[in-house]
Amino acid sequence: MRRVAPGAPQGRQHWMDLLRGGAILLVIAHHLRLVQQIWDGSAPHAMVVLSEATAPFRMPVLLFASGLLLARSLEKPTGRFLAGKARALLWPWLIWSAMMLPIMGWEFGRDPLWWVNGTYTWFLLVLFLYYAVGLLTRWIHPGWLALASVAGWTLPPQFGVEYDVAGNRPDKFLFYAVFFFAGAALRRTLAAGAVPVAVVVPALLIAAGWAGYAARIDMEPAIPVLTQVVVLIGVLGAVGAAQRIPRAGPVRLLERLGRNSIVPYLVHLPVIELICRNVDLSPSGATFALYALVTLAICVLAIRLRPMTGFLYALPARRRSAGEPDPAPRTGIDVHESEPAPVG
């Protein structure tokens, strides 16, 4: 019988699916807005505002949810842990980065920094590095690592180093660590019960104010300490809200998107680029809606095809002998601690 760590989630945590599904939807809307602006000259103003307002929170939500899975992953032997993360994170990072080259331009492939931080697959590389750090520091409480991220991101500006938050964000590996390790640190607390309403309401109000500020300045705020703390508060507010939303039809659809989040995350941007580059429609709200529906439809189709195309999202494992446990990797972005990873 499988051993369950004290305080580990019992049964599927549907709010994690919803949280990831909502974040993925916002990522898709953000990238569609950017690409449409590049190729069509403009995008609906409402989508520009939404994109800027949610910019501080989209990726922190995904990283926080991934951090919740760290402790369970670390129960594996070191070799299996590293092999699983390499197959589930480094493999799709490599092949989907390569797949972007014929779309974006082959010249990007000659720039080592492009592979690290020049396209949307940076998220998978970041996750691998955080899991590796978690392995190397497994005897240190992850809360200390979250605090170290805040301190580390705060120090460079004190010595005259300015962060280019509007560019490729070379600081993002350090900046986002606080959310991953905060998720790991709060795993038991969130497993024990929902975030109290007395925390959720003020947290969402603070997040709304920060989102309004981000939209007004047209970029992610980059204020040492304050930015990471405020965004983390907003993430906890989102967690508390997701834990309380009734599981009606549209919510279940978002949960399904979140349950398979690696698929729409990897599929959506190539689709958006190809649509906006090759379809000649006047920029408008209707055009944006059409592009969004087509992109989501292709992402849903990709999810349905995943049993046949799993090699696109994780390097297939060696064949198992009879009775051998399933070595399916946990990516940290589309599985829960309480359930086995989907096998591609």
Side-chain angles (χ1 to χ4, degrees), residues 127-190:
L127 276 183
F128 181 82
L129 292 176
Y130 292 166
Y131 275 112
V133 170
L135 176 66
L136 293 173
T137 60
R138 62 194 312 166
W139 306 117
I140 300 175
H141 191 279
W144 291 110
L145 299 178
L147 289 174
S149 169
V150 175
W153 191 71
T154 299
L155 286 176
Q158 311 310 313
F159 296 93
V161 177
E162 297 295 331
Y163 291 137
D164 179 18
V165 295
N168 282 335
R169 296 293 305 275
D171 63 300
K172 68 174 61 173
F173 291 81
L174 186 58
F175 174 84
Y176 285 120
V178 63
F179 308 108
F180 179 87
F181 290 108
L186 293 172
R187 179 185 67 97
R188 292 180 185 275
T189 301
L190 294 176

Side-chain angles (χ1 to χ4, degrees), residues 24-39 43 47 51 58-59 119-122 264-265 268-270 272-273 276 288 295:
I24 289 293
L25 202 61
L26 290 173
V27 168
I28 293 173
H30 168 65
H31 284 150
L32 178 53
R33 163 248 166 164
L34 288 178
V35 177
Q36 190 179 37
Q37 281 183 316
I38 292 171
W39 291 102
M47 300 312 299
S51 175
R58 290 185 299 260
M59 302 313 295
T119 188
Y120 73 123
T121 52
W122 67 266
Y265 184 86
H268 80 278
L269 188 55
I272 289 172
E273 285 282 357
C276 291
F288 185 95
T295 302

Side-chain angles (χ1 to χ4, degrees), residues 91 95-96 263 267 301-314 316 344:
W91 171 257
I95 64 171
W96 285 87
V263 177
V267 168
L301 177 62
I303 290 173
R304 294 182 66 87
L305 292 175
R306 187 176 181 181
M308 295 178 288
T309 60
F311 63 92
L312 292 174
Y313 313 107

